[in-house]
Amino acid sequence: MGTSSAVRAGAFVIGCLMLFIAASHVPEVGRESATWASMGVLAGSLTAATFGAMAFWVGARGIVARLIGTC
């Protein structure tokens, strides 16, 4: 079952945005390491990075497959 090019491109863009958001919160973990708030920031950024990486992979894999012509 294939997905449309728009879905693949959307997954790629969303994945890139989520990875950027996760990376932008990494400095906050260091600044807030003395409080319990850092655990929430760390958990949130790891969650965003996980889902962002999955969305990025699905989008990039689909785009590359489309460019190569295997889909």
Side-chain angles (χ1 to χ4, degrees), residues 2-61:
T3 57
S4 71
S5 297
V7 171
R8 286 185 280 227
F12 180 76
V13 170
I14 289 171
C16 287
L17 288 173
M18 289 181 75
L19 288 173
F20 177 76
I21 289 168
S24 69
H25 286 291
V26 170
E28 290 181 26
V29 174
R31 283 194 300 264
E32 298 176 356
S33 62
T35 66
W36 282 99
S38 65
M39 294 305 290
V41 172
L42 179 62
S45 70
L46 288 176
T47 302
T50 300
F51 288 115
M54 286 190 287
F56 174 83
W57 178 254
V58 167
R61 184 175 175 216

Side-chain angles (χ1 to χ4, degrees), residues 5 8 57 59-71:
S5 297
R8 286 185 280 227
W57 178 254
R61 184 175 175 216
I63 290 170
V64 170
R66 181 70 164 194
L67 290 173
I68 293 173
T70 60
C71 137

